[in-house]
Structure formats: structure tokens, C-alpha cells
Amino acid sequence: MNNVAENNAADFAVSHQTGNKTVQKWTVADIIALFEMPFSDLIHRAQTVHRLHFDPNEVQVSTLLSIKTGGCPEDCGYCPQAARYHTGVENEDMMALEDVVAAARAAKEKGASRFCMGAAWRGPKQRDLEPVMKMIAEVKAMGLQTCATLGMLKEGQAEQLRQAGLDYYNHNLDTAPEFYGEVISTRTYQDRLDTLEQVREAGMNVCCGGIVGMGESRNQRAGLIAQLANMATPPESVPINLLTQVEGTPLCGTEPLDDFEFIRTVAAARITMPASHVRLSAGRSQMSDTMQALCFIAGANSVFYGEKLLTTGNPDTDADQQLFDKLGIRPEGI
Ligand code: SAM
Ligand code: DTB
Ligand code: SF4
């Protein structure tokens, strides 16, 4: 049977030639049209694309560690680590190298293939970068892929991180350009794009996504996906975070996002960034196994693994093992 909705959706993206490379550009309207597809058609299309690029039963597994918690000068309206909000998160010193190494070893033993170190900074000062580079080198030497999320990078810092052995740098666009100013005022969208450019120029993999459920519109969710999908090279990893509402942050009390809308966002990311890992990121603690299974079917193929994200909870590893067993999912690279 010819399915009109699906066939129309297949024609959305415009292909054009640049040199010998075909680049697919997605307009926000194209992506809105994906969101508007009948749910089954959208999921079918996302699964079809997913199976062309990945083993549908493999999920990439990353463990997060907050190496410098709290006291951040920025004003991101979702974040429990911003010093200006009273969330109960204390300003801590940077972790000692041996404690980071021990956490990475434990993550590896539990089955993680990537270890991501996060710091509550606007960006790293040069004196901060030295100890972080040692952490990266030691984690890398353990045979784990390395990732860091340290805020905005200044000229030359991405190169230093790469030389220390950093495989991925996480820096999120967070939302669509039009909604961004409602959430953050202390750094601009362009600042974020500039950091991402530095990461690319240094030859590292880009991990870049955003947060949904912050009160943005569907058009703005589509706008975020368009920004990511239209990058000259789309991010290798795309974290889709569901806002974790933390008491004391300005976004606490926001109307929760409908589950199907979240799944549609995952599917739109999968379709528009077919070769990227789409990570089901913050928010899994609040999701049922069934909801997570639908997200995997919609094309999510990466998770944060370990009982904590940075400051908030994540499913414990036993629960994730049971979920993977129920679904026949294997952790990638294990
Ligand atoms: N300070 C650095 C920065 O902002 O780039 C790195 C750490 S920051 C906590 C990394 C990302 O975590 C943010 O860009 C945001 O997308 C996500 N995040 C923070 N708080 C969150 C929350 N409450 N719910 C969902 N995602 C959140
Ligand atoms: C990302 O996109 N999500 C992670 C990671 N990158 C650094 C962080 C989620 C943080 C959730 C709130 C917290 O635990 O503090
Ligand atoms: Fe600071 Fe990052 Fe939190 Fe923004 S998201 S307040 S920059 S730790």
C-alpha cells in the first residue's frame, strides 16, 4: 500500500552537491513535517534509517563523572550547578586524579566503553586544563574512549585536549536559537557554535545535543534538530536530554513534555542524523522500561550508564542490565 504521509516525508530533505559530496540540508519545515507524521509511520521510517547504519540491537554505553561540581557562574535556567540558584548542590574542589582513575576503572568493569568527565565551569582556565589533561591521558591509557564537557573553549584549548588523548568533546546547543534567550543569558548561541568549531578544527569528535521539556514549542524542538543536522559535519554523538527538574532552578515547575513528543524528537534526530549515535540522556530515571524501549525503537542507540549523571540520579546498572536483557540489547564494543 502506498503511504502518502511516508512518501511525502521521504522527499523533505534537499540534497545538493558540494564538490564530490552530497549534503542533505534540512529545513525546520521538513523536520516539523516529520514530527507531524502518524506515529507508526514516523517510527517505521526511523527504524528503517537506523537499520541502514547500525546494528539495532547494540547500544553505546558512556559513564559520566562530575570532576568539578557546583559553583558555576553561568545562569543556565535548567542547571542545579549554577551558583546563583539555591539547589543544595555545593561548590566542590576538582576531584583528585586517583579518584577519577578509580571511577573510570569501575565504569570499565561494569561495561562502559566511554568515560565522560564534566566540570561546572563557564570554561576551563589554563591552570584547570593541566590536571584535566592528566585525567584524560590516564583514562585513555585504560582503554576507554574519553569525553569531556568543560564549557566554552578558548583558542588552542581544544588542540591541547586532543593532544592529551581526548576523543570526544561534549558541548550542547541546548535548544533552538529563538528559545535560547529564555533559558541562558550569560553566553550566546554563537559562543557555543564557536566552541564546537574549535573542537572540529582540532580533529576531535563532537558530542552535541540539547534538552527538551523546557517549555519550548514543537517548532523549536524541530529548530534544535535542524541546527544539529545542518552542521557541516553533524555531531557523532547527539544527546537528547529530557529536562530533569531540580528544585531551586528557574525551569522547575515547567509543564512536563508528553512522552510521545519526546519519542518523536528522538525519531527526528535519528532520521536527520542517520550515522550519529543518538543518546537517550538525562531523564531516564523518570521513564518506564516501555518508554525507553520505544526510544530505542525510534533510533536511540546510546545511554549514560551508572547511577549518577552529574548531580542527579540515573537508573542503577542492575536495572539497565535487566532492561538490556529483556530487549536483547548488547553494549557496543564489549
Ligand atoms: N558546564 C559545562 C557546559 O555547560 O557546557 C559542562 C557541563 S553541563 C552540566 C552539560 C549539559 O548538561 C548542559 O549543556 C545541558 O544540556 C545538560 N544539563 C544540565 N542540567 C540539566 C538538567 N537539569 N536536565 C537535563 N539536562 C541538563
Ligand atoms: C549531556 O548532554 N547530558 C549530560 C552530559 N551531556 C554532560 C549531563 C546531564 C546533566 C543532568 C543534570 C545533572 O545531573 O546535574
Ligand atoms: Fe554551568 Fe554548565 Fe550548568 Fe550552565 S550547564 S550552569 S555552564 S555547569
Side-chain angles (χ1 to χ4, degrees):
M1 194 178 76
N2 188 9
N3 185 317
V4 175
E6 197 177 342
N7 284 348
N8 285 346
D11 296 333
F12 290 151
V14 178
S15 294
H16 63 266
Q17 293 283 328
T18 52
N20 55 4
K21 223 171 142 192
T22 301
V23 180
Q24 244 192 350
K25 288 280 168 206
W26 293 86
T27 66
V28 177
D30 295 335
I31 298 170
I32 293 170
L34 291 175
F35 272 87
E36 288 173 350
M37 285 172 75
F39 189 71
S40 292
D41 292 341
L42 175 64
I43 299 303
H44 179 253
R45 178 148 177 217
Q47 255 294 300
T48 307
V49 169
H50 193 169
R51 281 167 186 267
L52 287 174
H53 291 85
F54 292 100
D55 178 335
N57 302 312
E58 269 192 5
V59 167
Q60 189 278 330
V61 164
S62 292
T63 293
L64 264 175
L65 179 69
S66 181
I67 59 166
K68 161 66 189 86
T69 303
C72 185
E74 301 294 280
D75 73 348
C76 312
Y78 46 76
C79 187
Q81 302 199 72
R84 67 190 73 201
Y85 310 136
H86 301 286
T87 63
V89 174
E90 301 293 333
N91 183 2
E92 295 174 18
D93 290 340
M94 197 189 309
M95 282 179 71
L97 176 64
E98 66 261 32
D99 295 338
V100 174
V101 169
R105 192 167 297 120
K108 187 173 178 189
E109 274 162 19
K110 290 217 163 186
S113 56
R114 191 179 307 163
F115 192 68
C116 179
M117 293 158 270
W121 291 323
R122 173 173 166 82
K125 299 192 177 71
Q126 200 51 36
R127 67 165 185 273
D128 297 325
L129 215 54
E130 305 295 333
V132 174
M133 283 160 60
K134 288 204 181 93
M135 293 171 191
I136 292 167
E138 295 237 1
V139 172
K140 176 98 171 163
M142 229 177 261
L144 282 161
Q145 293 174 353
T146 54
C147 176
T149 181
L150 315 171
M152 289 189 280
L153 297 180
K154 290 191 217 46
E155 195 81 33
Q157 291 188 323
E159 183 56 34
Q160 285 178 278
L161 289 167
R162 188 193 62 77
Q163 280 179 13
L166 193 64
D167 298 309
Y168 288 79
Y169 194 78
N170 166 248
H171 198 61
N172 290 338
L173 288 178
D174 279 349
T175 191
E178 313 77 59
F179 189 66
Y180 183 86
E182 308 277 315
V183 182
I184 300 146
S185 77
T186 47
R187 69 176 66 164
T188 65
Y189 214 76
Q190 189 58 48
D191 288 333
R192 290 181 186 256
L193 293 168
D194 290 347
T195 288
L196 292 166
E197 177 78 26
Q198 301 225 27
V199 173
R200 268 282 172 245
E201 274 176 14
M204 280 185 287
N205 293 299
V206 170
C207 172
C208 181
I211 312 178
V212 295
M214 299 196 292
E216 74 287 340
S217 65
R218 174 179 270 187
N219 290 11
Q220 289 162 341
R221 283 185 282 281
L224 166 67
I225 303 286
Q227 287 286 327
L228 298 167
N230 290 336
M231 286 179 179
T233 304
E236 282 74 16
S237 284
V238 181
I240 306 290
N241 295 279
L242 179 62
L243 174 68
T244 298
Q245 301 203 9
V246 179
E247 203 74 51
T249 59
L251 288 178
C252 188
T254 306
E255 179 76 27
L257 188 69
D258 175 69
D259 282 355
F260 292 109
E261 189 66 12
F262 183 83
I263 300 164
R264 283 177 186 278
T265 309
V266 171
R270 164 53 59 226
I271 293 165
T272 56
M273 291 171 274
S276 305
H277 278 85
V278 175
R279 183 173 308 123
L280 185 52
S281 302
R284 285 203 303 125
S285 288
Q286 291 85 260
M287 293 178 195
S288 67
D289 282 0
T290 316
M291 170 69 177
Q292 292 187 63
L294 279 167
C295 291
F296 293 132
I297 293 168
N301 63 347
S302 171
V303 291
F304 284 123
Y305 179 73
E307 58 286 341
K308 216 167 167 198
L309 291 167
L310 291 172
T311 65
T312 64
N314 197 41
D316 63 41
T317 50
D318 289 345
D320 275 346
Q321 285 298 343
Q322 282 173 26
L323 176 61
F324 289 178
D325 287 348
K326 276 193 227 175
L327 301 177
I329 283 175
R330 298 178 303 277
E332 194 182 288
I334 302 298

